[in-house]
Amino acid sequence: MNFLLSAHFKFYPVGQGCFYAGEILAPSNDKKFTIVFDCGTLSGRTYLQNSIQKFKQKYTKIDLLVISHFDEDHVNGVNDLLDGISCETVLIPYYTPLSRLGLFADNSSNNPDYDLFLRNPTSYFLQEKFKVSKVIVIGNNNEGSIELNSNEKPTKPDNDLTGEKIEFDFDKFENDSGFLKYVQEQEGNNFNNNDKINYLSFPLKISFKQKFWEFVFYLKYFKENAKILNFKTAIDNLLISIKSNNIQDLFDNISLRASVRKAYKDTINGNVNYSSIVLYHGPTIVNSWACTCENCDNCFDDLCNYCCDYKKTGTLLTGDSFLKIPADFDPFFDYYGRQDYIKKCFLLQVPHHGSKNNWKIFPNGLEYIPFFVFNHGIGRVKHPSREVLDDFIHNINVRRLKFNNEGQKVSYFINCYQ
């Protein structure tokens, strides 16, 4: 068989948070595609800074940066990550100003950069100090049918990788007019009308022009619950008291932060963040194999029965997705299972650091995935939960569990042949 390409990915050791990155490399070394999924931590800042420094020593640009959701432990490293490096595309979920204000109120770190991000995420990424070419905002305001690109004609991957550079085929994507209108209504005068921004709706699949690797995104739709609506009423009353109709004023006026926090505590005082992007990515080339052993060179010895797989080569990154109850788990499983992405998955990131509120107990159809990664901080009481750990230990070979914390990275590679 002729070697076509390799891919290397890593969960960096940042503790309570997530910083996942890697590259897809064609035989010609100048044809490299770099991806980052989340960049943040609530553990000691040094761990994240050291990881970002190591990333920049290896990579000079980012082709795709995906932010799964807006919790601080997944985004507070973005400023350092993007400092002095170019980024072709940033992809984020849409959060209404009210949802962002809830995160603003719940944040106790008083991080000015995080506050700036929450105020207007698209404007944040398009600051002059960052070299970001495009921002894609995806939303799901009415889940309805979850057919994945049902009108897209199947195409065979291009095994000739000696042509142009590796890049996405964005030509077929246009703004979703309904979603665009919704964002305009929510943002009001603060809507960022910029030709560098695209507003796309779920479902969404992106592949390279060469069709040898695909990225399949999922975003669960959540209706505003009673707590959110009560928070909205409290915020509306606060705006009336200051004679304003612009929710952005509550981000800008520091003296009002205590009032915003009180409104949040009185009405929500819990998790306001339900939406989180899930990303499946992997090769479309049939002759592919994946391995978690950095020293493995296709050795085929007994150890590789535990670290290699010659059919499953996909990755499922879940962020802080809610996958516990059937109403949340079933659409996710149906979406990825319908076109065999679950069957092709080599590694799954356990959602929300192994929280018991985000995981459906086995058997759930995911037990056949070879490897599971827990992102967690050492000594954290809640994450991963004892309940979730017991579920994995009793149902999954412990050699298939990978723990990513301040002292442990998790890395793996994928090779593809013709």
Side-chain angles (χ1 to χ4, degrees), residues 232-281:
K232 182 179 186 304
T233 299
I235 292 302
D236 288 341
N237 291 335
L238 182 57
L239 287 171
I240 291 173
S241 70
I242 63 171
K243 299 180 180 179
S244 171
N245 61 0
N246 189 347
I247 200 171
Q248 296 292 346
D249 292 340
L250 301 179
F251 286 98
D252 299 335
N253 193 329
I254 298 177
S255 64
L256 294 173
R257 187 159 194 164
S259 298
V260 174
R261 282 178 171 168
K262 184 178 186 306
Y264 175 84
K265 186 176 181 180
D266 291 345
T267 57
I268 298 178
N269 199 27
N271 197 341
V272 70
N273 183 14
Y274 293 101
S275 294
S276 184
I277 289 175
V278 179
L279 169 60
Y280 169 93
H281 73 90

Short mmCIF file of all heavy atoms in Angstrom, two decimals, residues 232-281:
data_model
loop_
_atom_site.label_atom_id
_atom_site.label_comp_id
_atom_site.label_asym_id
_atom_site.label_seq_id
_atom_site.Cartn_x
_atom_site.Cartn_y
_atom_site.Cartn_z
N LYS A 232 -34.66 36.75 32.54
CA LYS A 232 -34.95 37.78 31.55
C LYS A 232 -35.84 38.88 32.15
O LYS A 232 -35.60 40.08 31.94
CB LYS A 232 -35.65 37.18 30.33
CG LYS A 232 -35.96 38.18 29.22
CD LYS A 232 -36.62 37.51 28.04
CE LYS A 232 -36.80 38.49 26.89
NZ LYS A 232 -37.57 39.69 27.28
N THR A 233 -36.84 38.48 32.92
CA THR A 233 -37.72 39.46 33.55
C THR A 233 -36.94 40.35 34.52
O THR A 233 -37.12 41.58 34.54
CB THR A 233 -38.86 38.74 34.31
OG1 THR A 233 -39.63 37.98 33.38
CG2 THR A 233 -39.77 39.75 35.01
N ALA A 234 -36.06 39.74 35.31
CA ALA A 234 -35.26 40.51 36.25
C ALA A 234 -34.33 41.48 35.54
O ALA A 234 -34.14 42.63 35.96
CB ALA A 234 -34.46 39.56 37.15
N ILE A 235 -33.75 41.03 34.42
CA ILE A 235 -32.85 41.90 33.65
C ILE A 235 -33.64 43.03 32.98
O ILE A 235 -33.19 44.18 32.94
CB ILE A 235 -32.09 41.07 32.59
CG1 ILE A 235 -31.11 40.12 33.29
CG2 ILE A 235 -31.38 41.97 31.60
CD1 ILE A 235 -30.09 40.81 34.18
N ASP A 236 -34.83 42.73 32.46
CA ASP A 236 -35.68 43.79 31.87
C ASP A 236 -35.99 44.85 32.90
O ASP A 236 -35.97 46.06 32.60
CB ASP A 236 -36.97 43.18 31.31
CG ASP A 236 -36.75 42.37 30.05
OD1 ASP A 236 -35.69 42.56 29.42
OD2 ASP A 236 -37.63 41.57 29.69
N ASN A 237 -36.29 44.43 34.13
CA ASN A 237 -36.59 45.40 35.20
C ASN A 237 -35.36 46.23 35.54
O ASN A 237 -35.47 47.42 35.84
CB ASN A 237 -37.10 44.66 36.45
CG ASN A 237 -38.48 44.07 36.24
OD1 ASN A 237 -39.26 44.54 35.40
ND2 ASN A 237 -38.80 43.02 36.99
N LEU A 238 -34.19 45.59 35.51
CA LEU A 238 -32.95 46.31 35.79
C LEU A 238 -32.68 47.35 34.70
O LEU A 238 -32.25 48.48 35.00
CB LEU A 238 -31.79 45.33 35.90
CG LEU A 238 -30.40 45.91 36.23
CD1 LEU A 238 -30.44 46.68 37.54
CD2 LEU A 238 -29.36 44.79 36.30
N LEU A 239 -32.95 46.99 33.45
CA LEU A 239 -32.75 47.94 32.35
C LEU A 239 -33.71 49.12 32.48
O LEU A 239 -33.34 50.27 32.21
CB LEU A 239 -32.96 47.24 31.01
CG LEU A 239 -31.85 46.27 30.58
CD1 LEU A 239 -32.27 45.48 29.34
CD2 LEU A 239 -30.56 47.03 30.29
N ILE A 240 -34.93 48.85 32.90
CA ILE A 240 -35.90 49.94 33.10
C ILE A 240 -35.40 50.90 34.17
O ILE A 240 -35.52 52.13 34.06
CB ILE A 240 -37.28 49.36 33.48
CG1 ILE A 240 -37.89 48.63 32.28
CG2 ILE A 240 -38.23 50.47 33.95
CD1 ILE A 240 -39.17 47.89 32.61
N SER A 241 -34.81 50.34 35.22
CA SER A 241 -34.34 51.18 36.33
C SER A 241 -33.21 52.11 35.93
O SER A 241 -33.03 53.16 36.54
CB SER A 241 -33.90 50.30 37.50
OG SER A 241 -32.69 49.60 37.19
N ILE A 242 -32.45 51.72 34.89
CA ILE A 242 -31.36 52.59 34.43
C ILE A 242 -31.73 53.31 33.13
O ILE A 242 -30.88 53.89 32.48
CB ILE A 242 -30.05 51.80 34.25
CG1 ILE A 242 -30.20 50.73 33.15
CG2 ILE A 242 -29.61 51.17 35.56
CD1 ILE A 242 -28.89 50.05 32.78
N LYS A 243 -33.01 53.17 32.77
CA LYS A 243 -33.55 53.84 31.58
C LYS A 243 -32.78 53.45 30.32
O LYS A 243 -32.31 54.31 29.56
CB LYS A 243 -33.54 55.36 31.77
CG LYS A 243 -34.39 55.82 32.94
CD LYS A 243 -34.35 57.34 33.12
CE LYS A 243 -35.22 57.76 34.30
NZ LYS A 243 -35.19 59.24 34.51
N SER A 244 -32.66 52.16 30.14
CA SER A 244 -31.95 51.63 28.96
C SER A 244 -32.75 50.48 28.39
O SER A 244 -33.47 49.79 29.11
CB SER A 244 -30.55 51.17 29.34
OG SER A 244 -29.93 50.48 28.27
N ASN A 245 -32.62 50.28 27.09
CA ASN A 245 -33.22 49.10 26.45
C ASN A 245 -32.15 48.24 25.78
O ASN A 245 -32.46 47.39 24.96
CB ASN A 245 -34.28 49.53 25.43
CG ASN A 245 -33.70 50.38 24.31
OD1 ASN A 245 -32.50 50.67 24.29
ND2 ASN A 245 -34.55 50.81 23.39
N ASN A 246 -30.89 48.49 26.13
CA ASN A 246 -29.77 47.78 25.51
C ASN A 246 -29.07 46.92 26.55
O ASN A 246 -28.44 47.43 27.48
CB ASN A 246 -28.79 48.79 24.90
CG ASN A 246 -27.72 48.11 24.06
OD1 ASN A 246 -27.54 46.90 24.11
ND2 ASN A 246 -26.99 48.90 23.28
N ILE A 247 -29.18 45.60 26.40
CA ILE A 247 -28.60 44.68 27.37
C ILE A 247 -27.08 44.80 27.43
O ILE A 247 -26.46 44.49 28.46
CB ILE A 247 -29.03 43.23 27.02
CG1 ILE A 247 -28.88 42.31 28.23
CG2 ILE A 247 -28.22 42.71 25.83
CD1 ILE A 247 -29.48 40.93 28.00
N GLN A 248 -26.47 45.32 26.37
CA GLN A 248 -25.02 45.47 26.36
C GLN A 248 -24.55 46.47 27.41
O GLN A 248 -23.40 46.42 27.86
CB GLN A 248 -24.54 45.90 24.97
CG GLN A 248 -24.79 44.88 23.87
CD GLN A 248 -23.97 43.62 24.02
OE1 GLN A 248 -23.01 43.59 24.78
NE2 GLN A 248 -24.33 42.57 23.31
N ASP A 249 -25.44 47.40 27.81
CA ASP A 249 -25.06 48.37 28.84
C ASP A 249 -24.71 47.68 30.15
O ASP A 249 -23.93 48.20 30.95
CB ASP A 249 -26.20 49.37 29.07
CG ASP A 249 -26.41 50.29 27.87
OD1 ASP A 249 -25.48 50.41 27.06
OD2 ASP A 249 -27.50 50.88 27.76
N LEU A 250 -25.29 46.50 30.38
CA LEU A 250 -25.03 45.78 31.62
C LEU A 250 -23.67 45.10 31.60
O LEU A 250 -23.12 44.77 32.65
CB LEU A 250 -26.14 44.74 31.87
CG LEU A 250 -27.55 45.32 31.96
CD1 LEU A 250 -28.57 44.21 32.18
CD2 LEU A 250 -27.65 46.34 33.09
N PHE A 251 -23.12 44.86 30.41
CA PHE A 251 -21.75 44.37 30.31
C PHE A 251 -20.76 45.49 30.58
O PHE A 251 -19.70 45.28 31.18
CB PHE A 251 -21.47 43.81 28.91
CG PHE A 251 -22.11 42.47 28.62
CD1 PHE A 251 -23.29 42.38 27.93
CD2 PHE A 251 -21.49 41.30 29.03
CE1 PHE A 251 -23.86 41.16 27.64
CE2 PHE A 251 -22.05 40.06 28.75
CZ PHE A 251 -23.25 39.99 28.06
N ASP A 252 -21.09 46.68 30.12
CA ASP A 252 -20.14 47.79 30.11
C ASP A 252 -20.05 48.53 31.44
O ASP A 252 -18.99 49.06 31.79
CB ASP A 252 -20.51 48.79 29.01
CG ASP A 252 -20.47 48.16 27.63
OD1 ASP A 252 -19.74 47.17 27.46
OD2 ASP A 252 -21.18 48.65 26.73
N ASN A 253 -21.16 48.58 32.19
CA ASN A 253 -21.20 49.36 33.41
C ASN A 253 -20.79 48.49 34.60
O ASN A 253 -21.57 47.68 35.09
CB ASN A 253 -22.62 49.92 33.63
CG ASN A 253 -22.64 51.00 34.69
OD1 ASN A 253 -21.85 50.98 35.63
ND2 ASN A 253 -23.56 51.95 34.54
N ILE A 254 -19.56 48.66 35.05
CA ILE A 254 -19.02 47.82 36.13
C ILE A 254 -19.84 47.96 37.40
O ILE A 254 -20.02 47.00 38.16
CB ILE A 254 -17.54 48.17 36.39
CG1 ILE A 254 -16.70 47.88 35.14
CG2 ILE A 254 -17.00 47.38 37.58
CD1 ILE A 254 -15.25 48.27 35.29
N SER A 255 -20.36 49.16 37.65
CA SER A 255 -21.12 49.40 38.88
C SER A 255 -22.41 48.58 38.95
O SER A 255 -22.98 48.40 40.03
CB SER A 255 -21.45 50.89 39.01
OG SER A 255 -22.31 51.31 37.96
N LEU A 256 -22.86 48.08 37.79
CA LEU A 256 -24.10 47.31 37.75
C LEU A 256 -23.86 45.80 37.87
O LEU A 256 -24.81 45.03 37.92
CB LEU A 256 -24.86 47.60 36.45
CG LEU A 256 -25.40 49.01 36.27
CD1 LEU A 256 -25.97 49.19 34.86
CD2 LEU A 256 -26.48 49.31 37.31
N ARG A 257 -22.61 45.39 37.93
CA ARG A 257 -22.32 43.96 37.93
C ARG A 257 -22.93 43.26 39.14
O ARG A 257 -23.45 42.14 39.03
CB ARG A 257 -20.81 43.71 37.88
CG ARG A 257 -20.46 42.25 37.71
CD ARG A 257 -19.08 42.05 37.17
NE ARG A 257 -18.87 40.68 36.70
CZ ARG A 257 -17.88 40.30 35.92
NH1 ARG A 257 -17.01 41.20 35.47
NH2 ARG A 257 -17.76 39.05 35.54
N ALA A 258 -22.89 43.90 40.29
CA ALA A 258 -23.48 43.30 41.49
C ALA A 258 -24.98 43.08 41.31
O ALA A 258 -25.53 42.06 41.75
CB ALA A 258 -23.21 44.17 42.71
N SER A 259 -25.65 44.04 40.65
CA SER A 259 -27.09 43.90 40.42
C SER A 259 -27.38 42.77 39.44
O SER A 259 -28.36 42.03 39.60
CB SER A 259 -27.65 45.22 39.87
OG SER A 259 -27.48 46.27 40.81
N VAL A 260 -26.53 42.62 38.42
CA VAL A 260 -26.70 41.53 37.45
C VAL A 260 -26.49 40.18 38.15
O VAL A 260 -27.25 39.23 37.93
CB VAL A 260 -25.72 41.69 36.27
CG1 VAL A 260 -25.80 40.48 35.35
CG2 VAL A 260 -26.03 42.96 35.50
N ARG A 261 -25.48 40.11 39.01
CA ARG A 261 -25.21 38.87 39.72
C ARG A 261 -26.36 38.52 40.67
O ARG A 261 -26.71 37.35 40.83
CB ARG A 261 -23.91 38.99 40.50
CG ARG A 261 -22.68 38.84 39.62
CD ARG A 261 -21.40 39.01 40.40
NE ARG A 261 -20.25 38.65 39.57
CZ ARG A 261 -18.98 38.91 39.90
NH1 ARG A 261 -18.71 39.53 41.03
NH2 ARG A 261 -17.99 38.55 39.11
N LYS A 262 -26.96 39.53 41.30
CA LYS A 262 -28.08 39.27 42.20
C LYS A 262 -29.28 38.74 41.41
O LYS A 262 -29.97 37.79 41.84
CB LYS A 262 -28.49 40.54 42.94
CG LYS A 262 -29.61 40.32 43.96
CD LYS A 262 -29.94 41.59 44.71
CE LYS A 262 -30.96 41.30 45.82
NZ LYS A 262 -32.18 40.64 45.35
N ALA A 263 -29.53 39.32 40.23
CA ALA A 263 -30.63 38.85 39.39
C ALA A 263 -30.40 37.40 38.98
O ALA A 263 -31.33 36.59 38.97
CB ALA A 263 -30.76 39.74 38.15
N TYR A 264 -29.15 37.07 38.68
CA TYR A 264 -28.80 35.70 38.30
C TYR A 264 -28.99 34.74 39.48
O TYR A 264 -29.61 33.67 39.34
CB TYR A 264 -27.35 35.66 37.81
CG TYR A 264 -26.83 34.27 37.51
CD1 TYR A 264 -27.07 33.67 36.28
CD2 TYR A 264 -26.11 33.56 38.46
CE1 TYR A 264 -26.59 32.40 36.01
CE2 TYR A 264 -25.64 32.29 38.20
CZ TYR A 264 -25.88 31.71 36.97
OH TYR A 264 -25.41 30.46 36.71
N LYS A 265 -28.49 35.13 40.64
CA LYS A 265 -28.58 34.26 41.81
C LYS A 265 -30.03 34.05 42.24
O LYS A 265 -30.41 32.94 42.66
CB LYS A 265 -27.78 34.87 42.97
CG LYS A 265 -27.70 33.97 44.19
CD LYS A 265 -26.81 34.58 45.26
CE LYS A 265 -26.72 33.66 46.48
NZ LYS A 265 -25.85 34.24 47.55
N ASP A 266 -30.84 35.07 42.11
CA ASP A 266 -32.24 34.97 42.54
C ASP A 266 -33.08 34.12 41.60
O ASP A 266 -34.11 33.57 42.02
CB ASP A 266 -32.86 36.37 42.65
CG ASP A 266 -32.29 37.18 43.81
OD1 ASP A 266 -31.64 36.57 44.69
OD2 ASP A 266 -32.48 38.41 43.84
N THR A 267 -32.66 34.00 40.34
CA THR A 267 -33.52 33.33 39.35
C THR A 267 -32.95 32.03 38.81
O THR A 267 -33.69 31.09 38.54
CB THR A 267 -33.80 34.27 38.16
OG1 THR A 267 -32.54 34.67 37.58
CG2 THR A 267 -34.58 35.50 38.60
N ILE A 268 -31.64 31.96 38.60
CA ILE A 268 -31.02 30.77 38.00
C ILE A 268 -30.16 30.03 39.01
O ILE A 268 -30.44 28.91 39.40
CB ILE A 268 -30.18 31.16 36.76
CG1 ILE A 268 -31.07 31.80 35.69
CG2 ILE A 268 -29.48 29.92 36.20
CD1 ILE A 268 -30.31 32.24 34.46
N ASN A 269 -29.05 30.66 39.41
CA ASN A 269 -28.13 30.10 40.40
C ASN A 269 -27.76 28.65 40.05
O ASN A 269 -27.81 27.75 40.89
CB ASN A 269 -28.73 30.16 41.81
CG ASN A 269 -27.64 30.03 42.87
OD1 ASN A 269 -26.50 30.38 42.64
ND2 ASN A 269 -28.01 29.54 44.04
N GLY A 270 -27.42 28.43 38.82
CA GLY A 270 -27.05 27.10 38.35
C GLY A 270 -26.50 27.19 36.94
O GLY A 270 -26.10 28.26 36.48
N ASN A 271 -26.52 26.09 36.26
CA ASN A 271 -25.95 26.04 34.92
C ASN A 271 -26.85 26.75 33.92
O ASN A 271 -27.99 26.36 33.70
CB ASN A 271 -25.75 24.58 34.48
CG ASN A 271 -24.81 24.47 33.30
OD1 ASN A 271 -24.57 25.44 32.60
ND2 ASN A 271 -24.27 23.28 33.10
N VAL A 272 -26.34 27.82 33.33
CA VAL A 272 -27.08 28.53 32.29
C VAL A 272 -26.65 28.07 30.90
O VAL A 272 -27.27 28.37 29.90
CB VAL A 272 -26.88 30.05 32.43
CG1 VAL A 272 -25.46 30.45 32.06
CG2 VAL A 272 -27.88 30.83 31.58
N ASN A 273 -25.55 27.30 30.86
CA ASN A 273 -24.93 26.96 29.59
C ASN A 273 -25.28 25.52 29.19
O ASN A 273 -24.75 24.56 29.71
CB ASN A 273 -23.41 27.10 29.72
CG ASN A 273 -22.70 26.83 28.42
OD1 ASN A 273 -23.32 26.79 27.36
ND2 ASN A 273 -21.40 26.65 28.48
N TYR A 274 -26.21 25.39 28.26
CA TYR A 274 -26.63 24.07 27.80
C TYR A 274 -26.10 23.74 26.40
O TYR A 274 -25.89 22.58 26.08
CB TYR A 274 -28.15 23.95 27.82
CG TYR A 274 -28.73 23.99 29.22
CD1 TYR A 274 -29.29 25.14 29.73
CD2 TYR A 274 -28.68 22.87 30.03
CE1 TYR A 274 -29.81 25.19 31.02
CE2 TYR A 274 -29.20 22.89 31.32
CZ TYR A 274 -29.76 24.06 31.81
OH TYR A 274 -30.26 24.09 33.08
N SER A 275 -25.94 24.73 25.56
CA SER A 275 -25.53 24.48 24.18
C SER A 275 -24.02 24.27 24.08
O SER A 275 -23.24 25.07 24.59
CB SER A 275 -25.94 25.66 23.28
OG SER A 275 -27.34 25.75 23.20
N SER A 276 -23.63 23.17 23.45
CA SER A 276 -22.23 22.90 23.26
C SER A 276 -22.06 22.17 21.93
O SER A 276 -22.76 21.19 21.66
CB SER A 276 -21.68 22.03 24.41
OG SER A 276 -20.29 21.83 24.28
N ILE A 277 -21.14 22.64 21.12
CA ILE A 277 -20.87 22.01 19.82
C ILE A 277 -20.21 20.65 20.04
O ILE A 277 -19.31 20.50 20.87
CB ILE A 277 -19.96 22.90 18.97
CG1 ILE A 277 -20.72 24.15 18.49
CG2 ILE A 277 -19.41 22.14 17.77
CD1 ILE A 277 -19.85 25.12 17.73
N VAL A 278 -20.69 19.67 19.30
CA VAL A 278 -20.02 18.37 19.20
C VAL A 278 -19.37 18.30 17.81
O VAL A 278 -19.97 18.72 16.82
CB VAL A 278 -21.01 17.21 19.37
CG1 VAL A 278 -20.29 15.87 19.24
CG2 VAL A 278 -21.70 17.30 20.73
N LEU A 279 -18.16 17.80 17.76
CA LEU A 279 -17.45 17.68 16.48
C LEU A 279 -16.94 16.27 16.28
O LEU A 279 -16.18 15.74 17.11
CB LEU A 279 -16.27 18.66 16.43
CG LEU A 279 -15.28 18.46 15.27
CD1 LEU A 279 -15.98 18.63 13.92
CD2 LEU A 279 -14.10 19.43 15.40
N TYR A 280 -17.39 15.63 15.20
CA TYR A 280 -16.76 14.40 14.72
C TYR A 280 -15.80 14.80 13.61
O TYR A 280 -16.15 15.57 12.71
CB TYR A 280 -17.80 13.42 14.16
CG TYR A 280 -17.16 12.25 13.42
CD1 TYR A 280 -16.89 11.06 14.09
CD2 TYR A 280 -16.79 12.34 12.08
CE1 TYR A 280 -16.29 9.99 13.43
CE2 TYR A 280 -16.18 11.29 11.41
CZ TYR A 280 -15.92 10.12 12.10
OH TYR A 280 -15.31 9.08 11.44
N HIS A 281 -14.59 14.28 13.64
CA HIS A 281 -13.70 14.46 12.49
C HIS A 281 -12.89 13.19 12.27
O HIS A 281 -12.57 12.46 13.21
CB HIS A 281 -12.79 15.69 12.65
CG HIS A 281 -11.69 15.53 13.64
ND1 HIS A 281 -10.45 15.05 13.30
CD2 HIS A 281 -11.62 15.79 14.98
CE1 HIS A 281 -9.65 15.04 14.36
NE2 HIS A 281 -10.34 15.47 15.40
#
